[in-house]
Amino acid sequence: APSTPIQDFRLHVRAWQHHFAGLFGLEALGRIRGFSPSEMALPNHPDVAYEFVKTLTDCGYEWVLVQVHTVEEPDGRGVGRPHLPHRLVCTNSSGDTASITAIIKTQGSDTKLVAQMQPYYEAKGLSRVDLAGQRIPPLVTQIADGENGGVMMNEFPSKYIEVIRECSGSRTPCMNGTEYLERLHSVGISQGDLPVIRPLFQSRIWD
């Protein structure tokens, strides 16, 4: 997104949605509520970030996946609780604001970590945390940037089956971002209850 003309954002997203619907149908497309940016790149210029988030919400997305080192808290500090969903708020130079729920990826895009199901073992070591007056389980999120060195092809399948067998019915279940957010909504936690973040370096840009 940072290297794509703003006027092309919506064209890119709509083209992907049409392509996906052509392959899997409109019903399947309706279940796609989260967006993973290309190369995990989040614009930090206020006007570009605003248009990016507005495009996602206008196109029906409810959440976006971001890297922990690409966002900051409103006071310019790093994210203190990266295993919780946040509300990504972007304000442009005209004072217009767009926001979307953000799920934070806490590790680098390392295929080795994904192939060995590292997020599961990290999640097992975490405890519930307070959010909006409730004790909720944190979410450990990971994504890889594709095959590199054969680990996804050779190591991932057996490790995935092993971990899914172990975590099914346990206190550390496997779920995707949409399922996790639905669980939070079911106990009364809304987007307005989530801590706020913004793209990194916006405090310096505004200064």
Side-chain angles (χ1 to χ4, degrees), residues 172-187:
T172 312
C174 179
M175 61 180 62
N176 63 40
T178 296
E179 292 170 329
Y180 179 79
L181 293 173
E182 286 177 343
R183 297 290 183 92
L184 295 189
H185 294 160
S186 71
V187 296

Side-chain angles (χ1 to χ4, degrees), residues 102-129:
I103 291 179
I104 298 175
K105 180 176 74 70
T106 57
Q107 298 284 346
S109 297
D110 187 336
T111 52
K112 191 73 173 178
L113 295 177
V114 176
Q116 292 299 313
M117 295 295 288
Q118 179 271 346
Y120 169 65
Y121 297 101
E122 181 181 351
K124 286 181 66 175
L126 298 177
S127 302
R128 287 178 177 257
V129 293

Side-chain angles (χ1 to χ4, degrees), residues 43-124:
N44 58 15
H45 187 285
D47 292 339
V48 181
Y50 167 82
E51 293 295 340
F52 176 69
V53 170
K54 189 174 187 304
T55 295
L56 296 185
T57 57
D58 287 350
C59 290
Y61 290 99
E62 298 176 5
W63 60 271
V64 63
L65 187 64
V66 300
Q67 298 190 83
V68 67
H69 64 267
T70 64
V71 289
E72 63 185 10
E73 295 187 355
D75 59 4
R77 293 184 301 174
V79 179
R81 300 200 292 176
H83 298 111
L84 290 181
H86 286 66
R87 182 160 48 100
L88 178 64
V89 177
C90 298
T91 302
N92 67 11
S93 55
S94 298
D96 303 315
T97 297
S99 66
I100 191 171
T101 298
I103 291 179
I104 298 175
K105 180 176 74 70
T106 57
Q107 298 284 346
S109 297
D110 187 336
T111 52
K112 191 73 173 178
L113 295 177
V114 176
Q116 292 299 313
M117 295 295 288
Q118 179 271 346
Y120 169 65
Y121 297 101
E122 181 181 351
K124 286 181 66 175

